[in-house]
Amino acid sequence: MSGHPYDFNYNYYYYTDFNQTEKKDIILNTSSWLSLVRIVLVILLRVGFVLIHIGSVPVNNVNLILLQNIIDFCWVTIVYALVGSVIAYTGDIRGLLGAGYWIGDEIVDKDEIIIGWSAVVIAAAILTCGIVGRTHTVGYLVVGFLLAGLVQPFLIHWIWTPQGWIRTNVLQEREVHFHDWSGSVIVHLAGGLSGLIGCMILGRRILRLDAIDAASIAVGSAGTVFAGQLFVFIGLQSLGISNVQVQKFKVNSKREYNVFINNLLAGCSCSLLVVAFHFLLPREEFNHWTVMRCVQATVAGLVIISAGTDIYSPQVAISVATTGSVIFYLVSRQVFRSALEDYCNITAIHLACAFWGSLLVPFFCADEQADIKAILLNISWQLICLIAIIAFVAIVMLLAFGILQYIGLLRNRSEYLNHLRANIAEGRTGRKSFLERLFRIDRDAIYLQPGTSLND
């Protein structure tokens, strides 16, 4: 097959028979198409999250959800393009940040920029699950700026660029690596942790999620959420598409196909196991929330293997998803019985599963010739970096949400009134500590439907 860009006998792409002009044209054309596919997939994902918000978040004004989603999408895109991309890519300064080239400079790899854009837009969508319909517009803009303009761009540079200090470093005179192929940490953990912090600081309008009965759930909500989760599953495939400009066609095609096969198998495995848990374990009532968990598990399975989906065999992907299904199920049930208003279950789907998957990946990505010490050092480095990243994201977001609450720009008007009603009702029943309100199971907890008054 001399003269053809593909040589499938060796599962590698070759371009040595082409002159420089032909090589450049092929790379540019392929990159452009892949970037277009990536953009379309991310837009589908955002549509999916809008459907999830509409079907899950108890906000009387659906137009508010639609408006805040389009503001968030456009705002993080502009912020990332003008600020975040300068930090994430365009060169390197000591492994910490980019060299300062703006998006309009010819030296900037626009396809690489789109890869970072997909990461920040997806993480912003995850974050909105915890605060949508509840946050003041100014609060939305501030938190979106920090996530897309600072927090994630630094993580992208540290982890996804070859010079990043987290990606490769030296520990006890040995080279160690941090592995995150599809944004387990950069996207899911960062977005999930930010959303959890926002949800916790916003407080609650009800005292426990499981206080909502089936009668208060609108007809069609289940179908809306189901469709939304499938759109999210499809959209997350964008994070598995590699950058042709960087790879220069020297990519093992068989391995690249495994990325999407692994995603499919992991999602299906996790969902089937969660269905089995609901039917086999005692005291598990079959209702709206259990069905939603089974649907959410398809996305959770993909999140669990996202850190190492490029190196996993299909068998390993199924095994990792199997262990992750237990984590997802247990965390989901705990959140459901807590006072945390995580209607979209981002804590279990994105935060818990991303953390678990990132912990497991160093056990499978070690070189076959590596000794025990090298393997242990890589495991230690993965854990050290995970702790550092969690601390970094948590400090920034706690400060942001805390300051917004202090200056009165955290909650919108309807959210402020609902929160005030909940505090008054709680005062009548005896005030509890924050941890007691969040985690203590109380079967007689007061339930306040958003938009109702205490006299109803």
Side-chain angles (χ1 to χ4, degrees):
M1 297 178 65
S2 178
H4 196 278
Y6 308 102
D7 187 346
F8 290 107
N9 292 325
Y10 296 95
N11 288 324
Y12 283 91
Y13 294 115
Y14 288 98
Y15 55 86
T16 54
D17 292 335
F18 292 99
N19 59 41
Q20 292 297 322
T21 302
E22 290 173 325
K23 286 191 294 182
K24 184 176 180 180
D25 288 342
I26 291 173
I27 292 174
L28 290 176
N29 289 334
T30 305
S31 297
S32 297
W33 277 107
L34 289 180
S35 293
L36 176 60
V37 170
R38 187 176 280 112
I39 291 173
V40 171
L41 289 175
V42 172
I43 291 175
L44 286 175
L45 176 138
R46 288 304 302 241
V47 172
F49 272 109
V50 171
L51 294 175
I52 292 171
H53 295 162
I54 293 174
S56 303
V57 180
V59 176
N60 293 331
N61 188 0
V62 174
N63 290 326
L64 179 62
I65 292 180
L66 300 177
L67 178 62
Q68 289 188 336
N69 268 279
I70 192 61
I71 289 175
D72 177 72
F73 178 84
C74 296
W75 175 245
V76 298
T77 297
I78 296 297
V79 168
Y80 168 75
L82 298 181
V83 181
S85 62
V86 179
I87 298 172
Y89 297 111
T90 67
D92 174 71
I93 299 177
R94 298 183 180 276
L96 297 175
L97 71 162
Y101 294 100
W102 295 96
I103 192 171
D105 293 333
E106 293 183 0
I107 194 174
V108 175
D109 182 352
K110 304 303 190 298
D111 297 299
E112 192 175 50
I113 295 297
I114 291 177
I115 292 176
W117 168 82
S118 65
V120 300
V121 170
I122 294 172
I126 297 169
L127 165 61
T128 59
C129 290
I131 64 175
V132 68
R134 307 182 63 186
T135 311
H136 195 284
T137 302
V138 174
Y140 247 96
L141 298 178
V142 171
V143 175
F145 177 86
L146 291 174
L147 187 65
L150 295 175
V151 173
Q152 277 191 280
F154 275 113
L155 295 180
I156 289 171
H157 191 81
W158 296 345
I159 299 172
W160 274 355
T161 62
Q163 305 88 353
W165 71 272
I166 288 181
R167 181 187 181 110
T168 304
N169 214 311
V170 177
L171 190 64
Q172 294 188 3
E173 300 181 351
R174 294 285 191 98
E175 190 175 79
V176 288
H177 304 276
F178 186 91
H179 202 87
D180 184 9
W181 172 261
S182 295
S184 177
V185 170
I186 295 172
V187 177
H188 300 290
L189 190 144
L193 181 58
S194 299
L196 173 63
I197 291 172
C199 191
M200 292 174 66
I201 294 181
L202 276 167
R204 61 177 182 263
R205 295 161 293 179
I206 63 173
L207 300 188
R208 228 182 38 248
L209 192 61
D210 64 350
I212 301 178
D213 57 20
S216 64
I217 299 172
V219 176
S221 293
T224 301
V225 177
F226 179 84
Q229 292 292 349
L230 292 184
F231 274 125
V232 170
F233 183 87
I234 293 170
L236 286 176
Q237 307 305 319
S238 62
L239 295 173
I241 303 174
S242 61
N243 186 1
V244 176
Q245 289 274 42
V246 174
Q247 299 294 335
K248 300 300 183 186
F249 283 117
K250 292 184 178 180
V251 179
N252 187 302
S253 61
K254 185 175 180 180
R255 190 189 76 171
E256 289 303 307
Y257 286 134
N258 275 346
V259 169
F260 305 107
I261 291 295
N262 288 343
N263 289 343
L264 184 62
L265 292 175
C268 294
S269 301
C270 187
S271 183
L272 284 175
L273 286 169
V274 171
V275 171
F277 295 155
H278 282 110
F279 280 102
L280 296 178
L281 296 179
R283 298 181 181 178
E284 191 65 37
E285 182 183 358
F286 182 74
N287 55 26
H288 169 83
W289 301 103
T290 57
V291 173
M292 288 304 99
R293 260 180 251 153
C294 297
V295 178
Q296 293 162 354
T298 58
V299 176
L302 191 152
V303 174
I304 292 164
I305 68 163
S306 59
T309 185
D310 62 316
I311 61 170
Y312 292 155
S313 66
Q315 296 89 337
V316 171
I318 293 175
S319 301
V320 172
T322 298
T323 64
S325 65
V326 179
I327 302 297
F328 168 77
Y329 177 76
L330 294 177
V331 175
S332 294
R333 290 192 63 182
Q334 180 60 43
V335 170
F336 182 66
R337 286 166 169 75
S338 74
L340 186 67
E341 291 198 49
D342 184 6
Y343 298 100
C344 304
N345 205 15
I346 59 170
T347 304
I349 300 172
H350 299 281
L351 179 56
C353 290
F355 181 78
W356 177 251
S358 295
L359 282 179
L360 292 181
V361 69
F363 291 93
F364 299 96
C365 67
D367 193 312
E368 293 181 357
Q369 299 178 348
D371 55 24
I372 296 298
K373 182 178 180 180
I375 296 174
L376 292 177
L377 287 175
N378 271 293
I379 294 172
S380 301
W381 180 246
Q382 191 87 4
L383 181 59
I384 291 170
C385 292
L386 275 174
I387 295 173
I389 291 167
I390 290 173
F392 171 59
V393 176
I395 289 172
V396 173
M397 289 301 165
L398 281 170
L399 287 174
F401 281 109
I403 292 173
L404 286 171
Q405 177 171 259
Y406 180 77
I407 63 179
L409 291 176
L410 179 62
R411 298 179 179 86
N412 57 37
R413 179 170 177 79
S414 62
E415 173 61 24
Y416 173 78
L417 293 175
N418 285 320
H419 185 70
L420 182 62
R421 294 186 186 109
N423 284 336
I424 294 174
E426 182 187 20
R428 294 177 178 177
T429 60
R431 188 167 182 81
K432 302 175 183 178
S433 69
F434 174 77
L435 291 179
E436 285 179 323
R437 296 198 308 272
L438 193 60
F439 296 113
R440 183 177 177 180
I441 298 177
D442 183 1
R443 301 308 303 178
D444 297 322
I446 296 174
Y447 166 56
L448 290 176
Q449 173 70 34
T452 60
S453 66
L454 290 174
N455 296 323
D456 289 346

